Amino acid sequence: MLQIEIVQGDITEQDVDAIVNAANSSLSGGGGVDGAIHRRGGRAILEECRRIRAERYPDGLPTGQAVATGGGRLPARWVIHTVGPIYVRSSAPARELASCHIESLRVADELGARSVAFPAISAGIYGYPLHEAAPIALRTVREARTSVELVRFVLFDEVALRAFTLAETSSS
């Protein structure tokens, strides 16, 4: 049975099989969670991302899709990169956000990962309101068909933690 945890912390410090990166479509690092993962994980992650772009996604990773790289210097063995919707530009933000979670868990299953840490995908610079993103993320993960045993939502600040905690208690 899938266990879901909600914690405040730094996703780059999580001792899980895989962490999910809220990536940009270029897979080249950036700000927020993406930049932190690339900085802490080191150059090996960026080099794998460049190879994935060259071989599989020359136009960039599409929104809602996911790919994996090694974890570099991170405690996690793998990084699963997914591109969340930009809230104001998306015609179907809820569907795309759900797809990020489903596809990330699919990739985790392919890798054999049993524990996965997710950030609040799209809730930073991509502008997805936390009070909308949190219930979608939690419901999608809860309903997913996956072999993953533990999903930990790792939220950067108190505001995000409250939004996810409220969404979890509202759904119970």
Side-chain angles (χ1 to χ4, degrees):
M1 182 166 162
L2 178 66
Q3 177 183 349
I4 295 176
E5 297 177 350
I6 300 170
V7 301
Q8 184 177 347
D10 181 343
I11 199 164
T12 69
E13 296 176 355
Q14 300 303 304
D15 187 11
V16 292
D17 295 332
I19 62 172
V20 175
N21 179 17
N24 59 55
S25 64
S26 71
L27 299 177
S28 59
V33 169
D34 193 17
I37 288 171
H38 278 270
R39 280 190 301 280
R40 175 106 191 256
R43 186 148 184 85
I45 296 172
L46 181 59
E47 288 171 3
E48 273 191 82
C49 284
R50 286 181 176 155
R51 194 166 36 255
I52 289 167
R53 279 287 310 274
E55 295 171 4
R56 295 171 51 196
Y57 296 102
D59 297 326
L61 184 64
T63 300
Q65 297 300 304
V67 296
T69 64
R73 296 190 311 253
L74 295 164
R77 183 172 177 188
W78 299 290
V79 177
I80 299 170
H81 307 265
T82 190
V83 179
I86 298 174
Y87 188 74
V88 298
R89 291 192 199 157
S90 175
S91 61
R95 181 179 52 77
E96 290 178 337
L97 184 60
S99 180
C100 289
H101 293 84
I102 292 165
E103 289 299 308
S104 294
L105 290 171
R106 179 189 59 75
V107 170
D109 285 339
E110 289 174 0
L111 295 168
R114 292 289 176 253
S115 55
V116 178
F118 278 90
I121 297 169
S122 285
I125 197 161
Y126 281 16
Y128 214 115
L130 275 165
H131 71 278
E132 291 180 33
I136 292 166
L138 287 160
R139 181 177 56 250
T140 303
V141 165
R142 198 177 301 105
E143 294 173 357
R145 289 190 174 140
T146 182
S147 297
V148 171
E149 297 166 358
L150 169 68
V151 167
R152 181 179 299 147
F153 285 96
V154 181
L155 296 315
F156 183 72
D157 61 21
E158 184 70 30
V159 173
L161 179 67
R162 273 196 309 270
F164 273 74
T165 302
L166 179 61
E168 180 67 3
T169 56
S170 298
S171 69
S172 301

